[in-house]
Amino acid sequence: MEPLHGRIRDYAWGSRTVLAQLQGRPVPSAGPEAELWLGAHPGDPSTVHRGGAPLSVVDAFATDPGRWLGADVIDRFGQRLPFLLKVLAPEAPLSLQAHPDAEQARAGYAAEVTDPELTHRNYVDPYHKPELLVAVSPFQALCGFRDPKLSADLIDAFGVPALDPVVDALRAGTDGLREAVRTLLGWPVPDRAALVAAVVAADVPEQYAQAGELVRELAGRYPADPGVLVALLLNHVSLAPGEAIWMPAGNLHAYLYGAGVEILAASDNVLRGGLTPKHVDVPELLRVLRFEVLVDPVVPPVPVAPGVVTWPVPVDDFALHGVRLGEAVGSARIALRGPRIALCLAGEVTVADGAGSARLGPGQSAIGPADGGPLTVSGSGEVYVASVGLG
């Protein structure tokens, strides 16, 4: 293991406190700080030090891919790190979005990369983008479609006659879910602000007060965006620290606020449906979405050793372990295959494998190569370890 230096993305929805506090910098930061990226994504790769100067890990991997990535990873994913580790710090809602599955990503990228007249690309790489987010503070999110009949009752409670066709479609269950979403996202542009305003002004029953608050919050930021109403079709999830949400391909979602550690397949393929000034491609989004109920998106932590938990997911691009050390447990050993990244969130720890060791404080991270063998974490603190999910 050796020190790794990540990159901060300054999207407008980011917090001015979370990442600055984590890294021990002055609070508030000069501007919004949304994400800390740790990995080899070509959009903003992390760095290691060589000869006193920073070196992109992309370049480091290129010098010795066999050692860094390992034969198993290269055979399965090619000469690239298949995961990206992030700290997410939303202080305002992210866009409503979904990600393609692997087949859709390959086909979409192949079609767009050969189109010389294309003005906007939905597919910037040929990879899927499943995501796992673990809350490190109370975290709010919209995750996947809930039972459409429950959504019908909710929207009907707002008492806006213009939405009767949406309610009728939702009463048909999942068979009508596509039509309900298509109707809302295809609402005539001149009429959108009035529709949202009518919903905001509605006096809803007490049982739907939380939904009314959500509509008012979203509409305050996007007063003419039908995505405000599409949000009512999704599960509204409140995560406690340590709980996670799993977002497979095709599930519409939006993170609202909180702080979390996210691990995802290293891709930038995003289809947006609203709550954003960015490009929205409704036909392509509808093609990618899975119009099915996501019964429970919450993934609880599973203990695997004293002080160590994981959150099982059905992909091999990544795996995530959480480690908590203190008086009761002073060290932990994790069997890993392939490259690995460790991020310290609290305390002081040492991470060591066969390639070396690094001492980490809050906000600091380290990377190790595929030939490092098992990882040992010692000290007192909280650490997240990202690796591939190959068994």
Side-chain angles (χ1 to χ4, degrees), residues 172-347:
T174 53
D175 290 342
L177 191 52
R178 178 187 293 270
E179 184 58 32
V181 175
R182 187 197 308 275
T183 299
L184 289 172
L185 294 183
W187 208 270
V189 173
D191 302 332
R192 291 180 175 183
L195 176 67
V196 173
V199 174
V200 169
D203 186 15
V204 296
E206 181 63 27
Q207 70 188 94
Y208 298 121
Q210 186 181 33
E213 292 175 5
L214 176 65
V215 165
R216 287 190 291 274
E217 178 184 354
L218 297 179
R221 299 177 184 276
Y222 301 101
D225 190 332
V228 170
L229 306 184
V230 175
L232 297 175
L233 310 184
L234 306 180
N235 295 299
H236 188 178
V237 176
S238 299
L239 296 177
E243 292 183 319
I245 43 179
W246 160 243
M247 283 291 99
N251 278 269
L252 195 61
H253 61 284
Y255 301 144
L256 300 178
Y257 54 85
V261 171
E262 184 183 40
I263 188 168
L264 61 151
S267 169
D268 263 347
N269 289 324
V270 179
L271 283 305
R272 295 180 176 86
L275 309 183
T276 179
K278 296 181 179 179
H279 179 76
V280 174
D281 187 334
V282 172
E284 187 63 16
L285 175 66
L286 293 174
R287 193 181 72 81
V288 164
L289 283 180
R290 293 181 179 174
F291 291 98
E292 59 193 27
V293 175
L294 185 61
V295 176
D296 187 3
V298 178
V299 181
V302 176
V304 294
V308 184
V309 298
T310 191
W311 297 264
V313 293
V315 296
D316 56 8
D317 304 70
F318 57 78
L320 185 67
H321 290 85
V323 183
R324 284 182 177 269
L325 302 176
E327 291 184 4
V329 181
S331 66
R333 187 174 185 269
I334 308 172
L336 299 175
R337 288 176 61 185
R340 68 288 310 266
I341 293 174
L343 165 68
C344 179
L345 286 191

Side-chain angles (χ1 to χ4, degrees), residues 322-380:
V323 183
R324 284 182 177 269
L325 302 176
E327 291 184 4
V329 181
S331 66
R333 187 174 185 269
I334 308 172
L336 299 175
R337 288 176 61 185
R340 68 288 310 266
I341 293 174
L343 165 68
C344 179
L345 286 191
E348 289 193 355
V349 300
T350 297
V351 291
D353 60 12
S357 65
R359 188 167 181 83
L360 304 178
Q364 296 178 331
S365 56
I367 189 169
D371 64 0
L375 178 71
T376 298
V377 185
S378 58
S380 178

Side-chain angles (χ1 to χ4, degrees), residues 96-179:
L96 278 172
Q97 58 188 265
H99 310 297
D101 62 27
E103 182 178 349
Q104 291 166 336
R106 285 192 297 268
Y109 179 76
E112 291 186 353
V113 77
T114 58
D115 186 349
E117 298 182 359
L118 196 66
T119 58
H120 177 86
R121 295 181 61 180
N122 293 311
Y123 300 94
V124 296
D125 56 59
Y127 309 117
H128 67 166
K129 193 185 179 187
E131 302 172 343
L132 176 77
L133 182 137
V134 179
V136 297
S137 75
F139 198 96
Q140 299 286 316
L142 302 171
C143 305
F145 292 115
R146 61 179 181 169
D147 184 339
K149 295 182 180 180
L150 296 177
S151 297
D153 292 341
L154 168 59
I155 292 179
D156 193 35
F158 282 90
V160 178
L163 290 173
D164 287 348
V166 175
V167 173
D168 292 342
L170 292 170
R171 297 266 188 238
T174 53
D175 290 342
L177 191 52
R178 178 187 293 270
E179 184 58 32

